[in-house]
Amino acid sequence: MAQTVNEIGAFFTKFINLFSTYKIIGDTLDILFLTFIVYSVLKLIRDSRAINFLKGFGVLLVVWLFVKVFNMQTVAYLFDIFWKNLLVISVIIFAPEIRKALDRIGTSKFSNLKIFSFHGFSEDKKIEDLKNAIQVVTKSASYFSDEKIGAIIVFERFTPLGEIINTGIIINSVLSNEMLENVFYPKAPLHDGAVIIRNSKLYAAGCILPLTQNTSIASSYGTRHRASIGVSEMSDCAVVTVSEETGFISFTVNGKMKSGISDGELREYLLDYLLSEKEAKNEK
């Protein structure tokens, strides 16, 4: 009985000593920051192949424990090599996910925060040009939908799409309904590619987009839709897609697609995503 009391006393002593060294500001920030990192990593890998890697890692861990228990020296040696190089192996395997995470950090609202903001004529002109571009794209998407003309229109934002632009033809012209209708005319040489809108201008056409590697995408989605999802996964762009088969209009950002929307809904989505919340609200 006395021994049990002593053990309980020793436990509480260790517990109190632990908190006696606790630094309210430093340690609390440390815990919060670590929690945020773990949450962000779990959120990133939730819908990626990384989740399967973690399952495989768990199986390897069980096998490694089995090897240790039965003292299998040769296999244990191979496992030791694997554990020592795990960091390098992980970086190689998760290169796309790491690149995507860094890209999200670089295009986050915090990283693009304007410390010194002056809303002069040039800023107002950019906003007005963007609103006009949204209006043009909405009207063209409605026309393409009625005529069942396939189209992919990409609004470039903070992430440069230079690699994709290089696969097409640079036009760099004023954006208009006539230009879009000419580009996506079924017999036009550039109609199969995507259009890139940069700074509210029709910057490039006939561009080839990367297809998504997400295997959970519905089989009913064709190449256009998979390409729209693919480019939105690797950047912060907004993508407008019109199906050649059904005439359905789709809006895609961050790998998520809203399909079968009206031209009015498309306009609202574009305003909400491309303009600030206040500017979008004033425009509606």
Side-chain angles (χ1 to χ4, degrees), residues 160-168 194 196 204 206-210 231 234-235:
L161 299 176
E163 293 180 1
I164 291 175
I165 288 171
N166 290 336
T167 65
I196 307 296
C207 299
I208 300 173
L209 306 182
V231 71
M234 60 167 280
S235 73

Side-chain angles (χ1 to χ4, degrees), residues 19-257:
F19 278 92
S20 66
T21 60
Y22 185 84
K23 300 175 183 177
I24 296 177
I25 297 177
D27 290 344
T28 301
L29 289 176
D30 199 19
I31 293 172
L32 291 174
F33 188 67
L34 183 60
T35 303
F36 174 75
I37 292 175
V38 172
Y39 170 77
S40 299
V41 170
L42 292 175
K43 186 178 178 181
L44 180 66
I45 69 174
R46 180 180 56 190
D47 296 323
S48 70
R49 57 179 179 170
I51 196 68
N52 291 328
F53 176 85
L54 290 179
K55 292 177 182 178
F57 180 80
V59 173
L60 283 178
L61 192 59
V62 172
V63 174
W64 177 70
L65 292 173
F66 179 83
V67 168
K68 284 292 185 180
V69 169
F70 289 94
N71 196 25
M72 301 167 63
Q73 296 182 5
T74 304
V75 181
Y77 173 74
L78 294 176
F79 267 106
D80 288 340
I81 296 175
F82 175 78
W83 298 134
K84 290 177 181 178
N85 295 279
L86 182 60
L87 179 60
V88 176
I89 294 171
S90 300
V91 170
I92 294 173
I93 292 176
F94 296 119
E97 282 78 8
I98 294 172
R99 185 167 58 248
K100 183 178 178 181
L102 292 175
D103 181 68
R104 284 186 177 179
I105 294 172
T107 57
S108 65
K109 291 182 179 180
F110 178 78
S111 64
N112 289 289
L113 184 64
K114 297 180 180 178
I115 300 176
F116 300 102
S117 181
F118 299 94
H119 297 285
F121 172 76
S122 59
E123 188 69 21
D124 292 339
K125 181 67 164 60
K126 288 180 181 178
I127 294 172
E128 192 61 33
D129 287 345
L130 183 53
K131 290 178 180 178
N132 291 334
I134 291 173
Q135 186 64 31
V136 169
V137 169
T138 301
K139 184 177 178 181
S140 289
S142 178
Y143 169 77
F144 295 147
S145 177
D146 292 339
E147 300 296 325
K148 290 190 177 180
I149 296 175
I152 306 179
I153 303 170
V154 181
F155 281 88
E156 182 186 61
R157 295 190 75 221
F158 298 112
T159 305
L161 299 176
E163 293 180 1
I164 291 175
I165 288 171
N166 290 336
T167 65
I169 303 297
I170 294 179
I171 299 175
N172 196 20
S173 74
V174 175
L175 181 65
S176 66
N177 297 113
E178 291 77 14
M179 284 294 295
L180 287 176
E181 289 167 16
N182 282 329
V183 168
F184 289 113
Y185 178 67
K187 293 184 180 180
L190 301 177
H191 80 280
D192 276 335
V195 156
I196 307 296
I197 296 177
R198 171 182 283 182
N199 297 327
S200 302
K201 286 188 174 183
L202 199 164
Y203 191 78
C207 299
I208 300 173
L209 306 182
L211 300 180
T212 179
Q213 300 300 313
N214 190 345
T215 56
S216 64
I217 300 297
S219 58
S220 58
Y221 285 153
T223 304
R224 278 194 181 88
H225 294 85
R226 293 177 182 276
S228 300
I229 295 172
V231 71
S232 72
E233 289 173 335
M234 60 167 280
S235 73
D236 61 342
C237 66
V239 190
V240 177
T241 315
V242 181
S243 171
E244 187 175 8
E245 290 75 23
T246 63
F248 286 170
I249 301 173
S250 300
F251 173 77
T252 310
V253 293
N254 300 323
K256 305 297 182 182
M257 175 175 285

